[in-house]
Amino acid sequence: MENLLLGLRAAGEETRLRLLVLCGHSELTVSELTQILGQSQPRVSRHLKLLCDAGLLDRYQEGSWVFYRLSAKHNASLLARTLVDLVPEADPIVSRDLERLETVKKARIMAAEEYFRENAARWNEIRSLHVPEEAVEDALLTLTKGHKITDFLDIGTGTGRMLELFGPKVTHAIGVDTSREMLSFARTAIEDAGLRNCQVRLADMYNLPFTNQSQDAIVIHQVLHYAEDPGIAIRESARLLRGGGILAIVDFAPHSLDSLRTEHAHWHMGFDEDSIRTYCAEAGLEPKDFTVLKGDPLTVNIWTAVPAAAIQSKGAVAS
């Protein structure tokens, strides 16, 4: 009762309700919200603090930027979403806010697309060397089928494609990356897809800002070849996996394309089956499936692993 009243009091003011609606449609910074509402930054910041204190909004730091979005896991999350859904978008004030929001989002899209255009050639060059992405995605969905996934994490989310793929199948999904430009592109992609349960964050795969055993499934898709020490990244993933969770790693098999190292900053020239299995075992994970998708000249491998403790627990129950 107390939390409900706190949330209702926080939302029971015109500007705060407008902020709630806007953050229900998109992750936004203070400066973007100030631009949309036409109010001073200190005033908007005060309202945002009240909404965050009530658990209606989540606040995330991304370098020097701070993003606000509708609460995802707080006790007040259901109230926040209900209030947003109850506000009529045809209301003149709300309608104007949403029009201005579209202007802000278009500016984001233009910046993200410019970055993507500048880098698309090198990504397309790599894609042309291995099996179609659709085959990789189908294999990933097959390998993770049967796992109940509430919380999903995509490490090195890039354009957010894994969030688009798994988002409709999970309750909560987060993609992390070290590139703000890629996060901007991914944020736009998931918003355009209507994936309200997905979000992106600035984070390093060696030091992820999540609690132990907080994820049911983790995907590391074409990222480990950039890692100076893949073992650390896999241990960090293992720390986050719940019992019964699954880690899926997608990367290239060993190859001799020096251009990927010299021109695309790949640290590793692919991984053989045993190298990733060894990393997983050292991290306390039990290797499971190993899938090979033959390509010319690049072959894509997919490894899956689960917490070893979960394997032992199942064995004990069976006996």
Side-chain angles (χ1 to χ4, degrees), residues 135-148:
V136 177
E137 293 172 4
D138 288 345
L140 274 174
L141 291 176
T142 299
L143 291 167
T144 55
K145 189 176 181 180
H147 286 263
K148 178 177 171 51

Side-chain angles (χ1 to χ4, degrees), residues 214-225:
S214 59
Q215 306 298 321
D216 299 299
I218 299 174
V219 168
I220 307 177
H221 180 266
Q222 297 292 14
V223 173
L224 278 188
H225 53 246

Side-chain angles (χ1 to χ4, degrees), residues 133 136-138 140-141 152 160-170 195:
E133 291 292 343
V136 177
E137 293 172 4
D138 288 345
L140 274 174
L141 291 176
F152 172 83
R161 177 55 193 159
M162 290 296 105
L163 296 178
E164 292 184 87
L165 183 67
F166 282 91
K169 306 175 186 302
V170 306
L195 294 171

Side-chain angles (χ1 to χ4, degrees), residues 44-103:
V44 171
S45 295
R46 284 196 299 272
H47 285 310
L48 289 170
K49 184 178 186 306
L50 286 171
L51 291 169
C52 289
D53 289 346
L56 297 175
L57 292 183
D58 288 334
R59 177 185 186 278
Y60 293 99
Q61 189 90 25
E62 190 172 292
S64 60
W65 297 351
V66 177
F67 281 89
Y68 293 86
R69 64 168 283 138
L70 214 62
S71 175
K73 293 188 176 183
H74 193 276
N75 291 336
S77 298
L78 178 59
L79 174 61
R81 176 51 60 190
T82 301
L83 289 171
V84 169
D85 290 342
L86 285 173
V87 176
E89 294 187 5
D91 176 89
I93 294 176
V94 174
S95 177
R96 186 176 68 239
D97 286 347
L98 294 178
E99 286 177 6
R100 292 174 177 172
L101 172 61
E102 286 305 308
T103 300

Side-chain angles (χ1 to χ4, degrees), residues 90-265:
D91 176 89
I93 294 176
V94 174
S95 177
R96 186 176 68 239
D97 286 347
L98 294 178
E99 286 177 6
R100 292 174 177 172
L101 172 61
E102 286 305 308
T103 300
V104 167
K105 290 173 70 173
K106 284 178 181 176
R108 275 192 200 168
I109 292 170
M110 289 175 64
E113 287 182 344
E114 178 61 27
Y115 174 80
F116 194 77
R117 277 194 299 271
E118 290 175 356
N119 294 274
R122 65 189 184 94
W123 293 326
N124 289 335
E125 178 188 341
I126 296 175
R127 288 194 186 101
S128 70
L129 300 175
H130 61 77
V131 296
E133 291 292 343
E134 291 80 2
V136 177
E137 293 172 4
D138 288 345
L140 274 174
L141 291 176
T142 299
L143 291 167
T144 55
K145 189 176 181 180
H147 286 263
K148 178 177 171 51
I149 304 175
T150 299
D151 294 289
F152 172 83
L153 176 62
D154 179 26
I155 298 177
T157 195
T159 63
R161 177 55 193 159
M162 290 296 105
L163 296 178
E164 292 184 87
L165 183 67
F166 282 91
K169 306 175 186 302
V170 306
T171 306
H172 305 289
I174 297 180
V176 299
D177 207 292
T178 56
S179 166
R180 289 190 183 88
E181 291 84 2
M182 294 311 299
L183 288 177
S184 180
F185 194 95
R187 186 175 281 118
T188 298
I190 59 178
E191 288 176 0
D192 286 349
L195 294 171
R196 289 178 169 179
N197 62 324
C198 297
Q199 52 188 283
V200 295
R201 295 287 166 262
L202 185 72
D204 188 331
M205 62 181 164
Y206 294 138
N207 185 23
L208 294 164
F210 308 110
T211 58
N212 294 351
Q213 299 183 355
S214 59
Q215 306 298 321
D216 299 299
I218 299 174
V219 168
I220 307 177
H221 180 266
Q222 297 292 14
V223 173
L224 278 188
H225 53 246
Y226 292 111
E228 183 175 352
D229 191 336
I232 295 178
I234 292 175
R235 287 199 297 275
E236 184 68 349
S237 297
R239 176 182 70 82
L240 301 180
L241 274 183
R242 293 184 177 124
I246 184 169
L247 169 66
I249 298 170
V250 181
D251 221 299
F252 297 126
H255 61 82
S256 57
L257 295 181
D258 289 332
S259 61
L260 293 186
R261 174 172 285 166
T262 57
E263 298 174 23
H264 300 278

Side-chain angles (χ1 to χ4, degrees), residues 255-298:
H255 61 82
S256 57
L257 295 181
D258 289 332
S259 61
L260 293 186
R261 174 172 285 166
T262 57
E263 298 174 23
H264 300 278
H266 288 203
W267 189 276
H268 298 274
M269 304 283 280
F271 301 92
D272 60 31
E273 177 181 359
D274 290 339
S275 61
I276 297 297
R277 286 181 176 272
T278 298
Y279 286 133
C280 288
E282 290 173 348
L285 298 174
E286 181 76 19
K288 283 191 66 184
D289 299 299
F290 176 65
T291 302
V292 178
L293 300 174
K294 287 286 187 182
D296 184 17
L298 293 175

